[in-house]
Structures are given as C-alpha cells and as structure tokens.
Amino acid sequence: MEICTAQDAEADTFAKYTGAGYTVKYPQSWQVIDEGLESSGANRVHFMPPDRTQGYFVVERLPSRLATKLTSTKNFKNFKEEEFDAKPLGAVSGKKQEYIELVVEKSGQQKEWQVKVLLLKNENLVYRVQLFYSEDGKPLEQDFEQFTREFRLIK
C-alpha cells in the first residue's frame, strides 16, 4: 500500500495522479492511498478529502472476468443506470450508476452510503470511478463531476 500526497500541482488547486491505466486530477488537499497492483491486474486507489466523514472516492481497475462476478445489485436500494458514449474518455463503453448501499464500517456499525459510479469498459478491463457519500457529503457531488470530467484512460 502506498500513501501519496499531491504532486504536479496545477494552478494551486489540483494535482494529477497517474494510476494503473488512467490519469485523473483531484484537489491537492486530498490524500491518495494506492493499494497496489494485484497479480490479477486489479487495483484500487482511494482519494480522501480532509473531512472523510462526508465521503470519499475510489477508483477500481478490474479484469473483465472479475468485474462481472463482483457486480451484483441485490444489496442496493434505488438503483439507477444509464449508458453513455465513453469513447472520448478512451473506453469502448460506459455507464453511469447511482444507488444506496448499506456498508458495515470497521466499528461494526452499519451505515447507508449514497453511491455514484462512472463505469468504463475496455477490451479486457473495467474501471469503476466511485463516490461514496453521506447526507452531509452532498458537496462532494460537485467534486465527483469535476473528478470524472478529468478522468482519462491511457495505454
């Protein structure tokens, strides 16, 4: 696991992160935690704002064969999904999803997180850009729009 801080600051508000097959710009005051590349090719990176109680972002890269096994909507409430043209982002196809997920915290408490997802598919990989936020985290929705606008797949 690697903990990163903002590098390559742009103006004085954004930093650029290069992950496993993608780049993204994020607020430079945020902390980035990269869990490392697994032997399967999977990778998960957390982007954490200073006040993590409101929410956080996760970017997951999964081989297509693993992504289909992990994608189940049975534990989600209010699930919505729409397809969009993801070619400008460097993907073959894309979907936007929104739902409410019940998550068990490390403390053992259950908490409802609202979730927004940008799902991008390539030939062999799936990228999930996710925002998990509480009712207090509504302002993070704007950050998510900015984050997904700046997200690009690279070869």
Side-chain angles (χ1 to χ4, degrees), residues 84 86 89 91 93-94 118-122 125-127 151 153:
F84 73 99
L89 300 176
S93 66
L118 179 71
L119 186 71
L120 302 170
K121 293 182 180 181
N122 269 348
L125 296 168
V126 173
Y127 292 84
F151 187 89
L153 297 180

Side-chain angles (χ1 to χ4, degrees), residues 13-115:
T13 55
F14 291 97
K16 183 178 180 181
Y17 181 81
T18 302
Y22 65 91
T23 62
V24 67
K25 292 179 185 170
Y26 65 96
Q28 68 179 358
S29 63
W30 291 22
Q31 183 180 37
V32 178
I33 302 170
D34 187 335
E35 293 184 11
L37 192 60
E38 297 176 12
S39 61
S40 67
N43 176 249
R44 179 179 291 136
V45 180
H46 301 262
F47 294 83
M48 311 288 235
D51 182 1
R52 295 178 191 163
T53 61
Q54 292 184 353
Y56 56 93
F57 292 52
V58 176
V59 177
E60 288 182 304
R61 171 186 135 145
L62 299 163
S64 297
R65 69 186 190 293
L66 292 179
T68 53
K69 291 178 186 175
L70 296 176
T71 306
S72 168
T73 59
K74 66 181 177 184
N75 295 323
F76 301 157
K77 293 189 335 190
N78 302 336
F79 184 81
K80 297 176 196 165
E81 180 177 74
E82 69 178 70
E83 292 188 21
F84 73 99
D85 179 14
K87 289 181 179 79
L89 300 176
V92 173
S93 66
K95 294 180 182 178
K96 294 180 182 180
Q97 301 172 334
E98 289 186 40
Y99 52 89
I100 298 173
E101 182 176 5
L102 187 62
V103 176
V104 179
E105 303 286 315
K106 287 182 181 179
S107 65
Q109 280 189 310
Q110 293 185 347
K111 183 173 185 177
E112 278 192 350
W113 285 98
Q114 296 189 51
V115 184

